[in-house]
Amino acid sequence: MSTRPTLLDEEEARRLDAADPGHRELFHIPPADGGRHAEAAYFAGNSLGLQPRATRDELLADLADWQRLGVEGHLEAGRPWLPYHELLTEPAARLVGARPEETVVMNSLTVNLHLLMVSFYRPAGRRTRIVIEDSAFPSDSYAVRSQARFHGLDPDTAVVRLRPRPGESVLRTEDVLAFLEREGDTVALLLLGGVNYLTGELMDIPEITAAGRDAGAVVGWDLAHAAGNVPLQLHDWGVDFAAWCSYKYLNSGPGALAGVFVHRRHLADRTLPRLEGWWSTEPATRFLMAPVSAPPASADAWQVSNPPIFAMGPVRTSLELFDKVGMEALRARSVRLTGYLERLLDAVTPGRPLTVVTPRDPERRGCQLSLRIGRGSAAELARRLRHEHGVVTDAREPDIVRLAPVPLYSTYHDCWRAADALARTVAEDA
Ligand SMILES: Cc1ncc(COP(=O)(O)O)c(C=O)c1O
């Protein structure tokens, strides 16, 4: 490993951090696993966000209520368990630009996508197809294929995968619109990732939603990489439904509970098929133990079971943080921080087998930048960055390394470390 200085200006990074500090002090930063710095330069918040310092005490308070109250905690806990999930509804709604009745936090992401597809994927006549992007996260791909099979359809023909143009890495909005223009009358459901997990591309959610609905399709979004990363206005954009997880940008812990949005126009629709349980009913009648449910006209009607309280605490704590800091301010810092990382990568990628595949336009991406590795293994590069420099990225087979400077806790100096480590680790082309 070379320790010679690179051309990158470390002092500039320090100055930028002093001028534009973020909220790192609110998080536990893991120790570095190599290199000369004590803390990791953590770029994997798009995979698993870091732990807020407040989470442990809040979780311990919920545990103490159980210890002290047993079953009576349902009504008497500091945060009573029966209506606990309602504490998450309004902050989650604010985060995604929804009305409170359109939002619920429950289950995990793929489970929620299935529950929503039970209601919103209803193939009929010519209109049977589900459209995803070719680089959709594999779980979404498996979920839609299994939904097609569930309806007795052949997934190889029922699922359409939209691909970038030959030689390009990201999907163009105009190509999605052209597809809908051409074949929209065969589409039952359009289900895309708001921010693509692999390339970091932010889709034009309002424009694609409008076009999909004009074509007569239902439009749903997987917002795993968008929630807490980019500002969203799901209600105003007319999105039919959406789901997201809370363990990435929402920092709620591994496997954390997920969020759901259902547009208000669907909430009172009694003709929608839905899988129900006792938590799908009105709270006021839930304990009458009636044999037939009375679902509320809200996203709560998609809940099935009583919620896991100790999993809700970390989501509540995290959403409070987003309320405090504000998505607008976070996005503004995110654009500055990712723009800075991009500038540094532009200094080190020429002459090396590294290409940024994420769109250049800040309006078309969140905080993540994805690098395509032209030589060697992406996994090996990520391993060396971590163990030789304390820079935590992640690799996606076969050739992508993802770096997400997260505006809540990442620093300009982290970005400097990433670019410096890449320059030291990846040899220039001969
Ligand atoms: C875009 C996307 N969709 C779906 C999933 C799967 O999420 P879960 O395991 O919570 O269902 C992930 C996980 O990282 C993801 O990134």
Side-chain angles (χ1 to χ4, degrees), residues 385-404:
L385 291 174
R386 177 174 165 219
H387 292 301
E388 294 174 15
H389 301 279
V391 174
V392 180
T393 60
D394 75 2
R396 285 289 172 267
E397 291 297 336
D399 58 358
I400 296 287
V401 170
R402 307 183 301 176
L403 294 98

Side-chain angles (χ1 to χ4, degrees), residues 108-111 113 137 139-140 195 197 222 224-225 245 247-248:
S108 44
L109 172 52
T110 313
V111 170
L113 288 173
F137 192 78
S139 194
D140 295 31
V195 172
Y197 88 99
D222 176 339
H225 290 261
C245 61
Y247 44 79
K248 302 178 186 298

Side-chain angles (χ1 to χ4, degrees), residues 373-384 395 397-401:
I373 314 300
R375 193 179 57 223
S377 141
E380 174 59 12
L381 175 57
R383 195 195 63 73
R384 288 190 60 195
E397 291 297 336
D399 58 358
I400 296 287
V401 170

